[in-house]
Amino acid sequence: MKFGGTSVGSAQRMKDVAGLITREKGNVVVLSAMSGTTNALLEIASYYKKGNRDSAVDTASRLEQKYLGHIAELYASAESADAARDYVRSVFSYIEALGKEIFTDASEKELVARGEMLSTWMVNAYLQEQGVNSVLLPALDFMKKDEQGEPDSRYIKEHFAKALAQHPGADVYITQGFICRDAHGAVDNLKRGGSDYTASLLGAAALAEEIQIWTDIDGMHNNDPRVVPGTRPVRHLHFEEAAELGYFGAKILHPTCIQPAKFAGVPVRLLNTMDPSAPGTVINNIPDPGSIKAVAAKDNITAIKIKSSRMLLAHGFLRKVFEIFESYRTSIDMICTSEVGVSMTIDDTSNLSGIVADLRRYGSVTVDTGMCIVCVVGDMDWENVGFEARAMDAMSNIPVRMVSYGGSNYNISFLVREEDKEKALKALSAKLFADD
Ligand code: ADP
Ligand code: ASP
Ligand code: MG
């Protein structure tokens, strides 16, 4: 069970989480830092880096005060509150001590790791105060990266099993999301939002019955309820469908985060802390033949078209085009080609002028800004018939700049003007979910 920063964002939220995780015995719980903490710690680190110790200490002591406030609210007994205050003070004096030495990237990693250490310590102590046999498993004992900087799944599997075996029969196991060690044993992390990744890695390592990602708002809808009225939560997604949708709400579940679960065949369930009895959304490897799951949209898309007579019957043309994007570290999302031209979309336009200038060497270039990708996700195996026609039919009154189909078995995407987004989402929903 993984809970994000907002879900453990206050003493009351921590108490709610404590209730959820003790409904059954033996859960492994991955927690993020309390919301705002990681950002505050990174701010402190940036002050230290700039040699601005005063601002660092100032920000740190404001954060410490916040924690002392949470403690006053969280624990019932003076004894537990005292122990928690001691712990919080030791963490913050460590943070201050870090600034007294040369502040390196390694110091920053140590510093930012304190966020998850604080939240897990507090919840574990709260559970123990409530009489729960809760065990705090330090993630740094088993979460490790390899020489390539990728999570070392074999190491994780072996050491996580060892850590669990040291405390058989506990009611609940609490551990830190996000933090890990690098291949040389130094403290590191799995990048922002990395707690989801921790949960997926541990669930896969332990071959858990299920990986639950608890968040603070409603499960995934087949559309944004503010744009299309009458949407319903999607109850089931294939891993591939979730990956397709990841681009449209990458904040929810990044595709790389669920990769370990997918490979291990462990289902992932998205649940809502605000409505804990709702069934949520299950993601697994089971297909729903012929079923269309969701329609999603992403704004702020720029389309770039390059037309060149040199492309006709030439080989190596696309490579040259793609290399230009690569040299500007800009990823391409949608792509369509004809015999003489190719259109691509990007969402990061910070290097647009350089890209366009370089592309002009190979042909005439057109740029359309203010575009929007509207995508339909579901089982769209090419041998199924009819769904392309239904989707196209829905778009019959909307100017469509690009259509992309066949890249995977799970997606058909349209590029339209941003101002047509709402119309497109409504039309597709009406046509595709008409009989649901
Ligand atoms: P936090 O960011 O507080 O650690 P989570 O990791 O649980 O919380 O969630 C990450 C972000 O994704 C949060 O801002 C959350 O509100 C947002 N989010 C979660 N589920 C959805 C959803 N179904 N649709 C849109 N945003 C979501
Ligand atoms: N605390 C980390 C972050 O804010 C990791 C996480 O919340 O998933 O990015
Ligand atoms: Mg998060």
Side-chain angles (χ1 to χ4, degrees):
M1 303 175 85
K2 177 264 173 177
F3 293 85
T6 323
S7 304
V8 292
S10 66
Q12 186 53 51
R13 290 291 190 92
M14 286 184 169
K15 292 181 189 179
D16 297 343
V17 165
L20 289 172
I21 63 188
T22 50
R23 293 197 295 190
E24 302 125 319
K25 200 175 141 91
N27 288 322
V28 173
V29 178
V30 172
L31 301 180
S32 296
M34 295 182 83
S35 57
T37 297
T38 307
N39 286 342
L41 295 173
L42 286 169
E43 190 186 325
I44 296 168
S46 80
Y47 286 134
Y48 278 148
K49 277 189 182 161
K50 287 186 239 153
N52 185 352
R53 276 208 68 205
D54 289 348
S55 299
V57 170
D58 199 49
T59 308
S61 60
R62 263 183 285 131
L63 189 61
E64 182 173 9
Q65 286 313 309
K66 266 203 204 165
Y67 273 87
L68 295 174
H70 296 314
I71 284 169
E73 226 186 294
L74 186 58
Y75 300 100
S77 75
E79 202 188 343
S80 304
D82 280 344
R85 267 190 290 273
D86 286 347
Y87 178 72
V88 167
R89 290 202 177 109
S90 74
V91 168
F92 281 91
S93 48
Y94 175 80
I95 290 173
E96 274 200 39
L98 276 177
K100 291 185 181 140
E101 291 153 29
I102 299 163
F103 198 82
T104 60
D105 286 345
S107 328
E108 175 169 2
K109 300 267 175 62
E110 288 277 7
L111 204 166
V112 76
R114 264 56 211 174
E116 270 70 11
M117 292 183 183
L118 282 162
S119 62
T120 50
W121 194 99
M122 287 162 69
V123 170
N124 182 59
Y126 173 75
L127 288 163
Q128 289 180 348
E129 185 188 43
Q130 300 296 308
V132 178
N133 177 12
S134 171
V135 173
L136 184 59
L137 299 178
L140 299 182
D141 289 353
F142 44 82
M143 293 304 296
K144 195 170 177 16
K145 290 185 184 171
D146 60 20
E147 291 285 350
Q148 281 70 49
E150 296 298 325
D152 185 339
S153 11
R154 276 177 53 191
Y155 183 99
I156 294 170
K157 196 178 175 89
E158 184 189 330
H159 289 80
F160 181 46
K162 270 192 197 152
L164 284 172
Q166 278 171 13
H167 306 276
D171 292 334
V172 57
Y173 302 88
I174 311 282
T175 192
Q176 298 88 15
F178 177 61
I179 67 175
C180 63
R181 290 190 189 277
D182 68 13
H184 309 286
V187 172
D188 198 353
N189 61 60
L190 298 170
K191 304 211 182 80
R192 296 307 306 270
S195 297
D196 290 340
Y197 205 3
T198 304
S200 175
L201 287 161
L202 292 181
L207 287 179
E209 196 180 307
E210 179 170 282
I211 295 162
Q212 299 186 341
I213 306 289
W214 287 80
T215 191
D216 58 318
I217 48 170
D218 239 288
M220 278 204 264
H221 282 74
N222 61 14
N223 231 319
D224 187 331
R226 286 163 302 185
V227 176
V228 180
T231 60
R232 288 174 307 282
V234 178
R235 293 295 174 216
H236 175 237
L237 286 172
H238 190 274
F239 277 117
E240 299 291 341
E241 294 168 339
E244 298 283 4
L245 284 170
Y247 176 69
F248 296 87
K251 280 180 104 185
I252 307 170
L253 263 191
H254 195 277
T256 52
C257 287
I258 43 177
Q259 203 74 335
K262 178 181 145 95
F263 283 133
V266 176
V268 174
R269 189 184 292 270
L270 308 180
L271 290 142
N272 181 8
T273 330
M274 296 307 190
D275 186 7
S277 51
T281 302
V282 188
I283 309 169
N284 58 23
N285 280 317
I286 304 167
D288 285 316
S291 155
I292 306 272
K293 296 298 180 54
V295 178
K298 189 169 171 100
D299 298 318
N300 266 319
I301 304 293
T302 298
I304 303 167
K305 177 167 68 191
I306 168 155
K307 251 177 53 188
S308 169
S309 46
R310 277 193 277 165
M311 184 177 165
L312 187 66
L313 302 175
H315 47 76
F317 182 80
L318 287 176
R319 179 177 57 76
K320 289 185 194 128
V321 168
F322 291 157
E323 264 172 6
I324 291 171
F325 287 85
E326 190 182 355
S327 70
Y328 287 98
R329 306 173 70 86
T330 300
S331 70
I332 298 169
D333 299 312
M334 235 176 120
I335 161 159
C336 293
T337 75
S338 80
E339 283 304 331
V340 293
V342 47
S343 275
M344 289 145 297
T345 70
I346 57 174
D347 57 15
D348 171 7
T349 51
S350 41
N351 290 302
L352 183 63
S353 53
I355 293 171
V356 170
D358 287 6
L359 285 172
R360 289 223 159 95
R361 299 207 311 265
Y362 298 110
S364 62
V365 180
T366 328
V367 175
D368 295 297
T369 55
M371 307 298 286
C372 166
I373 297 178
V374 175
C375 107
V376 180
V377 170
D379 173 44
M380 286 181 257
D381 192 286
W382 68 275
E383 298 201 59
N384 295 346
V385 292
F387 57 85
E388 306 96 320
R390 270 156 75 206
M392 284 293 197
D393 191 24
M395 304 298 278
S396 58
N397 289 316
I398 298 164
V400 175
R401 167 75 179 73
M402 286 165 73
V403 182
S404 175
Y405 165 69
S408 84
N409 275 343
Y410 300 90
N411 169 297
I412 171 165
S413 295
F414 299 96
L415 189 72
V416 301
R417 285 196 200 100
E418 251 168 46
E419 56 259 39
D420 290 326
K421 169 175 109 170
E422 191 172 326
K423 207 171 154 191
L425 287 173
K426 284 183 174 156
L428 284 165
S429 299
K431 276 269 184 278
L432 300 171
F433 303 120
D435 15 282
D436 290 14

